[in-house]
């Protein structure tokens, strides 16, 4: 089954064609990052406008690259939540029009379920159940993936997402948006024990996390150094920050593995590209004897291939939308049937 998949929830317009949930025939992306960089973050109105400009051309490009005709497409899938509402709406309206014109099913996909599915593309043998650490610009959660469309959230951030903190600290350090990748690179040259940053233990659920205290502590440290004219060792601050984020995530994943008894752990989302987190997950998995699944960096960030993968399983679960499908800025990953 060949699914034409559309992703437009933030600052990447993407269209992919994915076969049977596992085989990427093409994955076309038009990134807007350079445009938003001058503002230090995503400007929602600009994002929506740029999605409209790019989406039709990308869909034609996807067909051209694969040599497929429109009639070869079996279904149209789209990220319908969560994201910047104007941006998500562009993809949803395009997908509705395409499904109507092609007379094919319309499959709604939750963006975070898509991130988890990026693992199915990287590891064609991977099947649920497994545990997944989802770390992106807007979400941070530990998910019990019981089946392709049946999940339970074991723990989540109670405030900021890890990616938000990377971007905020990166911005204050003068790094280009989005700061995560630059901060990661700087951290690799630093001493991770030079600066002491907090690790929070919020609430009563041991799997829940908090990153706002860490973010504030890092920002205070930077501003204080500026005020007193102290020169900061930026690389070491980045390294200390990365290890604090990783220390917040990885022990909770280890605990969740013990609780669920799973022998498979996956990571997903833009922040899953972080070298410190990847390294610590690998070490932990080796210690507890668990198989690890980590998508290549190209599949960690937003893309449409992951939406096409998850869409196949949503389709098999009869999760099909009609022309009433709406876009949502927020929606639980557990998602009720549309
Ligand atoms: O999943 P994603 O592409 O978009 C959302 O769904 O939010 O994640 C984007 C986030 C940004 O915050 C970006 O700074 C972060 O992923 N990111 C990283 C790295 N590469 C991207 N954070 C830490 N280390 C990285 N290497
Ligand atoms: Zn994402």
């Amino acid at each position: 089954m060949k699914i034409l998949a559309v992703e437009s929830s933030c600052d990447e317009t993407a269209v992919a064609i994915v076969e049977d949930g596992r085989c990427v025939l093409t994955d076309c992306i038009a990134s807007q990052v350079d445009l938003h960089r001058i503002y230090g973050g995503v400007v929602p109105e600009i994002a929506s406008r740029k999605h409209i400009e790019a989406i039709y051309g990308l869909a034609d490009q996807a067909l051209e690259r694969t040599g497929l005709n429109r009639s070869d497409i079996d279904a149209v899938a789209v990220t319908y939540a969560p994201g910047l509402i104007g941006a998500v709406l562009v993809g949803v309206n395009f997908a509705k029009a395409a499904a109507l014109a092609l007379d094919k099913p319309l499959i709604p996909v939750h963006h975070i379920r898509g991130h988890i599915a990026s693992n199915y593309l990287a590891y064609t043998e991977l099947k649920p159940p497994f545990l997944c650490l989802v770390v992106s610009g807007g979400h941070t959660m530990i998910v019990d993936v019981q089946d392709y469309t049946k999940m339970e959230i074991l723990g989540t951030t109670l405030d900021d997402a890890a990616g938000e903190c990377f971007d905020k600290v990166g911005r204050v350090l003068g790094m280009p948006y989005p700061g995560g990748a630059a901060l990661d690179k700087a951290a690799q040259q630093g001493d991770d024990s030079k600066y002491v940053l907090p690790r929070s233990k919020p609430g009563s659920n041991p799997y829940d996390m908090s990153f706002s205290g860490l973010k504030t502590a890092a920002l205070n440290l930077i501003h204080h150094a500026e005020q007193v004219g102290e020169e900061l060792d930026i690389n070491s601050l980045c390294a200390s920050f990365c290890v604090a984020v990783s220390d917040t995530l990885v022990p909770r994943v280890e605990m969740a593995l013990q609780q669920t008894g799973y022998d498979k752990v996956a990571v997903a989302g833009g922040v899953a590209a972080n070298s410190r987190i990847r390294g610590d997950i690998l070490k932990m998995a080796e210690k507890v004897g668990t198989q690890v699944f980590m998508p290549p960096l190209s599949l960690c960030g937003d893309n449409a291939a992951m939406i096409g993968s998850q869409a196949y399983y949503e389709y098999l679960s009869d999760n099909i939308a009609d022309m009433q499908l709406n876009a949502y800025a927020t929606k639980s990953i557990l998602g009720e049937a549309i």
Side-chain angles (χ1 to χ4, degrees), residues 78-82 85-86 88-93 95-96 106-110 321-331 336 338:
V78 64
T79 300
Y80 76 105
I85 189 63
V88 188
L89 264 171
V90 174
V92 166
N93 283 325
K96 279 160 85 167
L106 174 66
I107 310 170
V109 177
H110 189 287
D322 60 20
M323 289 299 135
Q324 304 303 315
L325 179 67
N326 205 351
Y328 300 89
T330 55
K331 190 129 196 125
E336 59 281 15
I338 300 290

Side-chain angles (χ1 to χ4, degrees), residues 111 115 136 302 306:
H111 182 77
H115 272 302
S136 73
D302 290 346
M306 66 186 197

Side-chain angles (χ1 to χ4, degrees), residues 4 7 15-16 19 26 29 51 56 120 127 129 135 156 169 176 184 191 200 224 262 270 284 288 302 307 327 336:
L4 180 88
E7 155 64 40
V15 178
E19 187 155 25
T26 189
I29 300 188
H51 285 312
Y56 294 89
Y120 304 141
K127 292 187 175 90
V135 262
T156 180
V169 173
D184 184 4
D191 167 7
S200 313
H224 176 75
Y262 288 163
M284 178 275 291
V288 301
D302 290 346
I307 303 302
E336 59 281 15

Side-chain angles (χ1 to χ4, degrees), residues 166 180 183-184 187 242 246 269-279 297 300:
F166 270 104
L183 210 150
D184 184 4
C242 287
S246 189
V271 184
N274 185 266
S275 52
R276 178 74 201 213
I277 298 169
R278 288 172 93 89
L297 302 199
C300 286

Side-chain angles (χ1 to χ4, degrees), residues 23-99:
C23 179
V24 183
L25 304 183
T26 189
D27 189 9
C28 307
I29 300 188
S31 177
Q32 308 172 1
V33 164
D34 290 343
L35 257 175
H36 298 291
R37 190 163 282 155
I38 51 176
Y39 303 100
V42 179
V43 182
E45 286 78 8
I46 295 179
S48 311
R49 220 175 304 141
K50 290 291 154 189
H51 285 312
I52 294 173
E53 287 171 19
I55 205 158
Y56 294 89
L58 278 177
D60 285 339
Q61 192 184 77
L63 290 172
E64 257 166 48
R65 282 190 182 172
T66 50
L68 294 171
N69 294 314
R70 291 179 184 187
S71 56
D72 297 322
I73 299 299
D74 299 302
V76 180
V78 64
T79 300
Y80 76 105
L84 300 170
I85 189 63
V88 188
L89 264 171
V90 174
V92 166
N93 283 325
F94 174 82
K96 279 160 85 167

